[in-house]
CSV table of all heavy atoms in Angstrom, one decimal:
chain,number,residue,atom,x,y,z
W,1,LEU,N,0.8,-1.2,0.0
W,1,LEU,CA,0.0,0.0,0.0
W,1,LEU,C,0.9,1.3,0.0
W,1,LEU,O,2.0,1.2,0.5
W,1,LEU,CB,-0.9,0.0,1.2
W,1,LEU,CG,-1.9,-1.1,1.4
W,1,LEU,CD1,-2.5,-1.1,2.8
W,1,LEU,CD2,-2.9,-1.1,0.3
W,2,PRO,N,0.3,2.4,-0.5
W,2,PRO,CA,1.1,3.6,-0.4
W,2,PRO,C,1.2,4.0,1.1
W,2,PRO,O,0.4,3.6,1.9
W,2,PRO,CB,0.1,4.7,-1.1
W,2,PRO,CG,-0.8,3.8,-1.9
W,2,PRO,CD,-0.9,2.5,-1.3
W,3,ALA,N,2.3,4.6,1.4
W,3,ALA,CA,2.7,4.9,2.8
W,3,ALA,C,1.5,5.5,3.7
W,3,ALA,O,1.3,5.0,4.8
W,3,ALA,CB,3.9,5.8,2.9
W,4,PRO,N,0.8,6.5,3.2
W,4,PRO,CA,-0.2,7.1,4.1
W,4,PRO,C,-1.4,6.1,4.3
W,4,PRO,O,-1.9,6.0,5.4
W,4,PRO,CB,-0.7,8.3,3.3
W,4,PRO,CG,0.3,8.6,2.3
W,4,PRO,CD,1.0,7.3,2.0
W,5,VAL,N,-1.6,5.3,3.3
W,5,VAL,CA,-2.7,4.3,3.5
W,5,VAL,C,-2.2,3.2,4.4
W,5,VAL,O,-3.0,2.7,5.3
W,5,VAL,CB,-3.1,3.7,2.1
W,5,VAL,CG1,-4.1,2.5,2.2
W,5,VAL,CG2,-3.6,4.8,1.2
W,6,TYR,N,-1.0,2.8,4.3
W,6,TYR,CA,-0.4,1.8,5.2
W,6,TYR,C,-0.5,2.2,6.6
W,6,TYR,O,-0.9,1.5,7.5
W,6,TYR,CB,1.1,1.6,4.9
W,6,TYR,CG,1.9,0.7,5.8
W,6,TYR,CD1,2.0,-0.6,5.6
W,6,TYR,CD2,2.5,1.3,7.0
W,6,TYR,CE1,2.7,-1.4,6.5
W,6,TYR,CE2,3.2,0.5,7.9
W,6,TYR,CZ,3.3,-0.8,7.7
W,6,TYR,OH,4.0,-1.6,8.6
W,7,VAL,N,-0.2,3.5,6.9
W,7,VAL,CA,-0.3,4.0,8.3
W,7,VAL,C,-1.7,4.0,8.8
W,7,VAL,O,-2.0,3.5,9.9
W,7,VAL,CB,0.3,5.5,8.3
W,7,VAL,CG1,-0.1,6.1,9.7
W,7,VAL,CG2,1.8,5.4,8.1
W,8,ASN,N,-2.7,4.4,8.0
W,8,ASN,CA,-4.1,4.4,8.4
W,8,ASN,C,-4.6,3.0,8.6
W,8,ASN,O,-5.3,2.8,9.6
W,8,ASN,CB,-4.9,5.2,7.4
W,8,ASN,CG,-4.7,6.7,7.4
W,8,ASN,OD1,-4.3,7.2,8.5
W,8,ASN,ND2,-4.8,7.4,6.3
W,9,VAL,N,-4.3,2.1,7.7
W,9,VAL,CA,-4.8,0.8,7.8
W,9,VAL,C,-4.2,0.1,9.1
W,9,VAL,O,-4.9,-0.6,9.8
W,9,VAL,CB,-4.5,-0.1,6.6
W,9,VAL,CG1,-4.8,-1.5,6.8
W,9,VAL,CG2,-5.4,0.5,5.4
W,10,SER,N,-2.9,0.3,9.3
W,10,SER,CA,-2.2,-0.3,10.4
W,10,SER,C,-2.8,0.2,11.7
W,10,SER,O,-3.1,-0.5,12.7
W,10,SER,CB,-0.7,0.1,10.4
W,10,SER,OG,-0.1,-0.5,9.3
W,11,ARG,N,-3.1,1.5,11.8
W,11,ARG,CA,-3.8,2.1,13.0
W,11,ARG,C,-5.2,1.4,13.2
W,11,ARG,O,-5.5,1.2,14.4
W,11,ARG,CB,-4.0,3.6,12.8
W,11,ARG,CG,-2.7,4.4,13.0
W,11,ARG,CD,-3.0,5.8,12.9
W,11,ARG,NE,-1.7,6.6,13.0
W,11,ARG,CZ,-1.5,7.8,12.6
W,11,ARG,NH1,-2.5,8.5,12.0
W,11,ARG,NH2,-0.4,8.4,12.8
W,12,GLN,N,-5.9,1.2,12.2
W,12,GLN,CA,-7.2,0.5,12.3
W,12,GLN,C,-7.0,-0.9,12.9
W,12,GLN,O,-7.8,-1.3,13.7
W,12,GLN,CB,-7.9,0.5,11.0
W,12,GLN,CG,-8.4,1.8,10.5
W,12,GLN,CD,-9.4,2.5,11.5
W,12,GLN,OE1,-10.3,1.8,12.0
W,12,GLN,NE2,-9.2,3.8,11.7
W,13,ILE,N,-6.0,-1.6,12.4
W,13,ILE,CA,-5.8,-3.0,12.9
W,13,ILE,C,-5.4,-2.9,14.4
W,13,ILE,O,-5.9,-3.7,15.2
W,13,ILE,CB,-4.7,-3.7,12.0
W,13,ILE,CG1,-5.3,-3.9,10.6
W,13,ILE,CG2,-4.3,-5.0,12.7
W,13,ILE,CD1,-4.2,-4.3,9.6
W,14,ILE,N,-4.5,-2.0,14.7
W,14,ILE,CA,-4.1,-1.8,16.1
W,14,ILE,C,-5.3,-1.5,17.0
W,14,ILE,O,-5.4,-2.0,18.1
W,14,ILE,CB,-3.0,-0.8,16.2
W,14,ILE,CG1,-1.7,-1.4,15.5
W,14,ILE,CG2,-2.7,-0.4,17.6
W,14,ILE,CD1,-0.6,-0.4,15.2
W,15,ARG,N,-6.1,-0.6,16.5
W,15,ARG,CA,-7.4,-0.3,17.3
W,15,ARG,C,-8.3,-1.5,17.4
W,15,ARG,O,-8.8,-1.7,18.5
W,15,ARG,CB,-8.1,0.9,16.6
W,15,ARG,CG,-7.5,2.2,16.9
W,15,ARG,CD,-8.4,3.3,16.4
W,15,ARG,NE,-7.7,4.6,16.4
W,15,ARG,CZ,-7.3,5.3,15.4
W,15,ARG,NH1,-7.6,4.9,14.2
W,15,ARG,NH2,-6.6,6.4,15.6
W,16,ALA,N,-8.4,-2.2,16.3
W,16,ALA,CA,-9.3,-3.4,16.4
W,16,ALA,C,-8.8,-4.4,17.4
W,16,ALA,O,-9.6,-5.1,18.0
W,16,ALA,CB,-9.4,-4.0,15.0
W,17,ALA,N,-7.5,-4.5,17.5
W,17,ALA,CA,-6.9,-5.5,18.5
W,17,ALA,C,-7.0,-5.0,19.9
W,17,ALA,O,-6.7,-5.7,20.9
W,17,ALA,CB,-5.4,-5.7,18.1
W,18,GLY,N,-7.4,-3.7,20.1
W,18,GLY,CA,-7.5,-3.2,21.4
W,18,GLY,C,-6.2,-2.7,22.0
W,18,GLY,O,-6.1,-2.5,23.2
W,19,LEU,N,-5.3,-2.4,21.1
W,19,LEU,CA,-4.0,-1.9,21.6
W,19,LEU,C,-3.8,-0.4,21.7
W,19,LEU,O,-2.7,0.1,22.1
W,19,LEU,CB,-2.9,-2.5,20.7
W,19,LEU,CG,-2.8,-4.0,20.6
W,19,LEU,CD1,-1.6,-4.5,19.8
W,19,LEU,CD2,-2.8,-4.7,22.0
W,20,SER,N,-4.8,0.3,21.3
W,20,SER,CA,-4.7,1.8,21.3
W,20,SER,C,-5.4,2.2,22.5
W,20,SER,O,-6.6,1.9,22.7
W,20,SER,CB,-5.3,2.3,20.0
W,20,SER,OG,-5.4,3.7,20.1
W,21,ILE,N,-4.7,3.0,23.4
W,21,ILE,CA,-5.4,3.5,24.6
W,21,ILE,C,-5.6,5.0,24.3
W,21,ILE,O,-4.7,5.8,24.1
W,21,ILE,CB,-4.5,3.3,25.8
W,21,ILE,CG1,-4.2,1.9,26.1
W,21,ILE,CG2,-5.1,4.0,27.0
W,21,ILE,CD1,-3.2,1.6,27.1
W,22,ASP,N,-6.8,5.4,24.2
W,22,ASP,CA,-7.2,6.8,23.9
W,22,ASP,C,-6.9,7.7,25.1
W,22,ASP,O,-7.0,7.2,26.3
W,22,ASP,CB,-8.7,6.9,23.6
W,22,ASP,CG,-9.0,6.2,22.3
W,22,ASP,OD1,-8.1,6.1,21.4
W,22,ASP,OD2,-10.1,5.7,22.2
W,23,ASP,N,-6.6,9.0,24.9
W,23,ASP,CA,-6.4,9.9,26.0
W,23,ASP,C,-7.5,10.0,26.9
W,23,ASP,O,-7.3,10.0,28.1
W,23,ASP,CB,-6.2,11.3,25.4
W,23,ASP,CG,-4.8,11.5,24.7
W,23,ASP,OD1,-3.9,10.6,25.0
W,23,ASP,OD2,-4.6,12.5,24.0
W,24,ALA,N,-8.8,9.9,26.5
W,24,ALA,CA,-9.9,10.0,27.3
W,24,ALA,C,-10.0,8.8,28.3
W,24,ALA,O,-10.3,8.9,29.4
W,24,ALA,CB,-11.2,10.1,26.5
W,25,ASP,N,-9.6,7.6,27.8
W,25,ASP,CA,-9.6,6.4,28.6
W,25,ASP,C,-8.6,6.5,29.7
W,25,ASP,O,-8.8,6.2,30.8
W,25,ASP,CB,-9.2,5.2,27.7
W,25,ASP,CG,-9.4,3.9,28.4
W,25,ASP,OD1,-10.4,3.8,29.1
W,25,ASP,OD2,-8.6,3.0,28.1
W,26,VAL,N,-7.4,7.1,29.4
W,26,VAL,CA,-6.3,7.2,30.5
W,26,VAL,C,-6.8,8.3,31.5
W,26,VAL,O,-6.7,8.1,32.7
W,26,VAL,CB,-5.0,7.6,29.8
W,26,VAL,CG1,-4.0,7.9,30.9
W,26,VAL,CG2,-4.5,6.5,28.9
W,27,SER,N,-7.3,9.4,31.0
W,27,SER,CA,-7.8,10.4,31.9
W,27,SER,C,-8.9,10.0,32.8
W,27,SER,O,-8.9,10.3,34.0
W,27,SER,CB,-8.3,11.6,31.1
W,27,SER,OG,-7.3,12.2,30.4
W,28,ALA,N,-9.8,9.1,32.3
W,28,ALA,CA,-10.9,8.6,33.2
W,28,ALA,C,-10.3,7.7,34.3
W,28,ALA,O,-11.0,7.6,35.3
W,28,ALA,CB,-11.8,7.8,32.3
């Protein structure tokens, strides 16, 4: 994939795996 698409798709996979902790989640 083109680099910007690679980054966006990778982020979606990481979020789907539950590995992304959002700022709001940490603050809570």
Side-chain angles (χ1 to χ4, degrees):
L1 301 171
V5 177
Y6 172 92
V7 169
N8 288 331
V9 171
S10 296
R11 284 181 180 160
Q12 291 298 317
I13 294 168
I14 290 165
R15 282 188 189 112
L19 301 185
S20 175
I21 301 172
D22 296 330
D23 285 346
D25 189 38
V26 174
S27 294

